[in-house]
Amino acid sequence: MRRWNGWGDDQFSLELPEQGQSFLSERIGAATPLQDTTLASVCASVPESRLPADASVDDLIDRTPETRVRHARGQSLADWLAMRSGEIGEFPDGVAFPKTNTDVRTLLHFAQEQDVHLIPYGGGTSVAGHINPVDQGKPVLTVSLASLNRMIDLDRESQVATFGAGTPGPLVESQLRAQGYTLGHFPQSFELSTIGGWVASRSSGQQSLRYGRIEQLFAGGRIETLQGTLNLPTIPASSAGPDIREMILGSEGRLGMITEVKARVSQLPEQESFHVVFFPNWNDARTAARRLVQNRVQLSMLRLSNAIETETQLALAGHPRLIGLLERFLAFRGADEGKCMMTFGVTGTRPQCRAALAEARKICASQQGVYTGTKLGAKWAEKRFTMPYLREALWHMGYAVDTLETATDWDNVDNLLNSMETNLREGLADRNERTHVFTHLSHFYGQGCSIYTTYVFRVADTYEETLSRWQHLKNTTSELIVQNRGTISHQHGVGKDHAPFLPVEKGELGMRAIRSLTDSFDPDQRLNPKTLLD
Amino acid sequence: MRRWNGWGDDQFSLELPEQGQSFLSERIGAATPLQDTTLASVCASVPESRLPADASVDDLIDRTPETRVRHARGQSLADWLAMRSGEIGEFPDGVAFPKTNTDVRTLLHFAQEQDVHLIPYGGGTSVAGHINPVDQGKPVLTVSLASLNRMIDLDRESQVATFGAGTPGPLVESQLRAQGYTLGHFPQSFELSTIGGWVASRSSGQQSLRYGRIEQLFAGGRIETLQGTLNLPTIPASSAGPDIREMILGSEGRLGMITEVKARVSQLPEQESFHVVFFPNWNDARTAARRLVQNRVQLSMLRLSNAIETETQLALAGHPRLIGLLERFLAFRGADEGKCMMTFGVTGTRPQCRAALAEARKICASQQGVYTGTKLGAKWAEKRFTMPYLREALWHMGYAVDTLETATDWDNVDNLLNSMETNLREGLADRNERTHVFTHLSHFYGQGCSIYTTYVFRVADTYEETLSRWQHLKNTTSELIVQNRGTISHQHGVGKDHAPFLPVEKGELGMRAIRSLTDSFDPDQRLNPKTLLD
């Protein structure tokens, strides 16, 4: 069953190998875990539902405490601390499970008539507070699109597939693969997040280099709004005025509820493999990555870990003897202290893969890269969605882990990366706490790339102080990002946590443009209030 | 000097070869040209300027009749007929030539204070009526951005170049090429159209397969609005809410005046070549094109002429003996009557070009394509921007020529193409006139492609009847396009001519979304009124 207070299926857990524990303990000290509360105790704390009875929707709504608890929070670290401590604050007053577009329209009508706020809910994997209710003095109904989880149509000629918006990653891929197709959208939240959620929050997947971001994959669909149904036709490209698709992408439920997504799919590739190269230093590694993408080498994924992430990953991987051998080999080839690991994928027809691999190896070699083949790449592919489970393992050891991500132009990558890492590393110094911080670049563009930084710190004696540590690190670094030419989010969206930082990025007139859309579609702010625009 | 009543430089003209003339005459009859009016006579008809005197802007504004005539119309066939007949209708009351962003802000302030309408003007190449003044009882000031024509900055590391919005294609490329870079945006209007105009109208270039549409090339920039300056920061990609860039793209001057464009550029490629393949029939040809793009073969351009366009191009090419030889060779290889010509480009590093060419040839061969090498492709490249000059030659022979374009999904391409051609071919039957109609596909996407249809008909005895013939063909085919899953424009924009057809495509709520933006930025509708939204 899905964990009520953390990530994924409770039948699956990861162990941190022994040397991983000692590595962290050396870096930031041994830790003592906090005590988690129980589901039963949280359920007992859930207040009465404020939702009015209404025969038109009562069949669709579950008001039981457990369901309300299970839909109250996402997966940000603040959400974890809330769920683990039991201090959840706001709960939805009920959770609706519409089975059809008509059900969704009925729920919107109900909200309008009964002055109820609605929160659309996909996989509940937001790490930015998208689906958390806020107290506005109105009843809140969370609308789970979980029942809209089928592939409705597949047009093989146009390679457009239509899905119910609540279809989660694995069901998107399994329904497509059965027909020889793939969407190719693999965010780390893939196991739980949904295709409608990807559109609503402008998601990006690990193989965006080949398949594109969700902006490129979203061909059209159906959005139920308080003003009626918005049908977005599928047209491959158009110069007919501003693109309405692009107003829905990233709208985070503020304009309406996405119920159907038409997505651009691809035939399953003939071949796919992932390769690992080590570079002796960051400068060569970063230059190689930039050259790969600016030369349009046909890769399907690219990820570049900085020296600390490389060291951390090797330490946490287990298999100390094998890793020791690898490190001696790399040292012999010139990649020793300070080495940086690059993982890249080649996907496509056999000739495409052959050509891309040859070009990639050549560019890497010219920047002193040491090619190590596909073994470590296969490991990456095998574990590509398991990182969130490690959070659970660390939690039980007394460590809190969170990530921060942005994107910026190439000329600013090092500056922003270093500022973010320094701010996180030194952020708890006045509380006499250390933070372990490491970063990778991924999602590469000719113009720049995303920066994805992970930080680990010890939980404090109390939940309150632990939350305060996190808030300090998160908020100061977020401010630093938007003040230094970074986007407040490359792939996690805005939600409630990033909303205060959005105006710096969009500017006053940019915010006005977004507000003119929400004012037009939802003048009374009934749909996911305080998300995106606070 | 630039032609006041037609396309391009008046020092350059194309002749239609003898067999081209007889080909057309056979198809739709011999024709008698209409008599053009003179520039002097049109200038004499220009009314007094209604612009109020205002010391803050008078230095920037040219009120002379000739300048007003030269900025009154674009390049649609209706514009041509207006200019050739002298029945131009509305003229701008003056043309401003701002030299700086501050000048543009001053002009906006003037418009607000003095109740003047503004029309932004780039290269004046619109074929959809974007820059034509309409009578709203208010003075109209056209704002030419021609003086903002320099590359302001080139960031080599991030590959982002900043241009004044009025920089025309040749100056974009020459300033970049001097530094080893290219934008790679080559619409057919390249010689005259500007980078700001490309953004405002969502343009697409002949090599969009490699470089992307202008949506992918536009990284950010500066827009002066009636509410203040909108600065769009350069960020490679973001999930931070709806993308403001995408609201400016295709805004056609309704939200503000684009003054600076930051564009994603590429290093000049190592290699580039264009290749021609003939297919024995449309079905194989279209299938090959679809397979090329759905298999992600790294081509830089792709164009597929249907049988009538192929025949027409070979007839109009001149060199009957050489073409005869080619046709005998093709017939011997199985591509005879009904054959279809495909042109494709490979661009990039040497290994990329080699791999792409090999894959493309293999796919073409498997659909019975006969590869003919790079001779015809080089001819295409040499003449890629000269087609509009042919219009001038045809005009002087008594033929009017226009194009219609759309894009649709693959499963609908044949249906829509045939409907469009049939409607155009039979559209003047009740006037006892024939139309010569031919089509190519270009701008290919996994999901579909653009359909670009050219039609030639004889001018009537009068301008009035000639315009009526055009209006009938244009309007009935435009209606047919939007009723049959096509966009009203893939690359020409909406302007005034396509505005009546936009609501079918966008839907009521889509139109409301666009209106909420224009209402917010320009509540009094002073900026380019009747364009985009009528």
Side-chain angles (χ1 to χ4, degrees), chain A residues 472-487:
Chain A
H472 178 74
L473 295 172
K474 171 84 176 175
N475 291 337
T476 55
T477 314
S478 294
E479 184 64 25
L480 192 152
I481 286 172
V482 292
Q483 295 294 349
N484 287 276
R485 300 172 50 203
T487 172

Side-chain angles (χ1 to χ4, degrees), chain A residues 157-158 202 213 234 238-240 242 264 266 294-296 298 349 352 359 409 411 447 487 489 491 493 506, chain B residues 157-158 213 234 238-242 264 266 294-296 298 349 352 359 409 411 447 487 489 493 506:
Chain A
E157 193 173 0
S158 309
R202 281 188 176 259
R213 294 169 59 85
T234 60
S238 169
S239 66
R264 295 165 181 150
S266 301
Q294 291 184 342
N295 277 290
R296 292 176 163 78
Q298 215 169 6
T349 63
Q352 283 167 4
E359 274 206 287
D409 292 356
D411 71 300
Q447 180 186 344
T487 172
S489 175
Q491 65 206 60
K506 299 287 187 187
Chain B
E157 193 174 358
S158 310
R213 294 169 59 87
T234 61
S238 168
S239 64
R264 295 166 181 151
S266 301
Q294 291 185 341
N295 277 291
R296 293 177 162 78
Q298 217 169 7
T349 63
Q352 281 166 5
E359 275 206 287
D409 292 356
D411 70 302
Q447 181 187 345
T487 172
S489 175
K506 299 286 189 188

Side-chain angles (χ1 to χ4, degrees), chain A residues 240-313:
Chain A
D243 191 344
I244 312 296
R245 280 186 326 111
E246 291 278 354
M247 302 178 192
I248 297 304
L249 284 155
S251 59
E252 305 193 345
R254 291 299 299 256
L255 303 180
M257 301 222 181
I258 302 165
T259 58
E260 275 177 28
V261 172
K262 289 174 186 287
R264 295 165 181 150
V265 301
S266 301
Q267 281 173 274
L268 284 170
E270 261 176 45
Q271 221 176 36
E272 176 161 87
S273 55
F274 300 97
H275 306 253
V276 168
V277 179
F278 287 85
F279 293 87
N281 60 69
W282 176 246
N283 204 41
D284 272 309
R286 194 217 331 90
T287 303
R290 182 167 61 80
R291 288 181 57 202
L292 285 169
V293 63
Q294 291 184 342
N295 277 290
R296 292 176 163 78
V297 179
Q298 215 169 6
L299 301 179
S300 64
M301 68 83 62
L302 182 55
R303 173 183 168 136
L304 178 62
S305 299
N306 72 357
I308 316 182
E309 180 167 302
T310 302
E311 187 187 2
T312 305
Q313 290 208 324

Side-chain angles (χ1 to χ4, degrees), chain B residues 93-161:
Chain B
D93 291 283
V95 182
F97 294 91
K99 286 175 193 65
T100 61
N101 287 317
T102 310
D103 287 349
V104 175
R105 281 198 299 278
T106 306
L107 290 163
L108 286 161
H109 184 74
F110 163 73
Q112 189 82 302
E113 292 294 305
Q114 302 275 12
D115 201 11
V116 164
H117 288 174
L118 298 184
I119 299 179
Y121 187 102
T125 61
S126 165
V127 290
H130 290 84
I131 53 88
N132 301 4
V134 285
D135 181 19
Q136 306 253 286
K138 300 283 168 71
V140 175
L141 177 62
T142 290
V143 180
S144 167
L145 300 158
S147 300
L148 304 177
N149 63 359
R150 274 177 303 279
M151 184 163 81
I152 299 161
D153 183 60
L154 172 63
D155 174 346
R156 290 157 174 278
E157 193 174 358
S158 310
Q159 299 196 339
V160 172

Side-chain angles (χ1 to χ4, degrees), chain A residues 155-160 201-203 210-213 215-216 219 223 225 227-252 255 264-267 270 286 290 294-298 349-352 355 359 362 405-412 445-450 485-494 502 505-514 516-517 520-521 532, chain B residues 155-160 201-203 210-213 215-216 219 223 225 227-252 255 264-267 270 286 290 294-298 349-352 355 359 362 405-412 445-450 485-494 502 505-514 516-517 520-521 532:
Chain A
D155 174 347
R156 289 156 175 278
E157 193 173 0
S158 309
Q159 298 195 340
V160 172
S201 64
R202 281 188 176 259
S203 160
R210 174 176 173 86
Y211 298 103
R213 294 169 59 85
E215 291 97 302
Q216 284 84 52
I223 300 95
T225 82
Q227 315 299 326
T229 302
L230 171 60
N231 275 307
L232 295 177
T234 60
I235 286 171
S238 169
S239 66
D243 191 344
I244 312 296
R245 280 186 326 111
E246 291 278 354
M247 302 178 192
I248 297 304
L249 284 155
S251 59
E252 305 193 345
L255 303 180
R264 295 165 181 150
V265 301
S266 301
Q267 281 173 274
E270 261 176 45
R286 194 217 331 90
R290 182 167 61 80
Q294 291 184 342
N295 277 290
R296 292 176 163 78
V297 179
Q298 215 169 6
T349 63
R350 269 168 243 280
Q352 283 167 4
E359 274 206 287
K362 193 172 163 196
E405 46 85 42
T406 181
T408 197
D409 292 356
W410 280 114
D411 71 300
N412 190 43
Y445 309 89
Q447 180 186 344
C449 64
S450 80
R485 300 172 50 203
T487 172
I488 190 57
S489 175
H490 170 270
Q491 65 206 60
H492 291 162
V494 178
L502 191 64
E505 178 172 345
K506 299 287 187 187
E508 191 195 321
L509 291 184
M511 294 306 286
R512 179 199 289 244
I514 298 173
S516 73
L517 293 174
S520 168
F521 279 83
L532 184 60
Chain B
D155 174 346
R156 290 157 174 278
E157 193 174 358
S158 310
Q159 299 196 339
V160 172
S201 63
R202 281 188 178 258
S203 160
R210 174 177 172 85
Y211 298 103
R213 294 169 59 87
E215 291 97 303
Q216 284 84 53
I223 299 96
T225 83
Q227 314 301 327
T229 302
L230 172 61
N231 276 306
L232 295 177
T234 61
I235 286 172
S238 168
S239 64
D243 190 345
I244 312 297
R245 280 184 328 109
E246 290 279 353
M247 303 179 192
I248 297 304
L249 284 156
S251 59
E252 304 194 347
L255 303 181
R264 295 166 181 151
V265 301
S266 301
Q267 281 174 273
E270 260 177 45
R286 194 216 332 91
R290 182 167 62 81
Q294 291 185 341
N295 277 291
R296 293 177 162 78
V297 179
Q298 217 169 7
T349 63
R350 272 169 241 281
Q352 281 166 5
E359 275 206 287
K362 193 171 162 196
E405 44 86 41
T406 182
T408 197
D409 292 356
W410 280 114
D411 70 302
N412 189 45
Y445 308 88
Q447 181 187 345
C449 64
S450 80
R485 299 174 48 202
T487 172
I488 190 58
S489 175
H490 171 269
Q491 65 207 59
H492 291 161
V494 178
L502 192 63
E505 179 173 344
K506 299 286 189 188
E508 192 196 320
L509 291 183
M511 295 305 285
R512 178 199 290 241
I514 298 173
S516 73
L517 293 173
S520 168
F521 278 83
L532 184 60

Side-chain angles (χ1 to χ4, degrees), chain A residues 154 156 175-182 266-269:
Chain A
L154 172 63
R156 289 156 175 278
Q175 291 178 89
L176 280 172
R177 270 160 204 263
Q179 314 281 330
Y181 289 82
T182 176
S266 301
Q267 281 173 274
L268 284 170

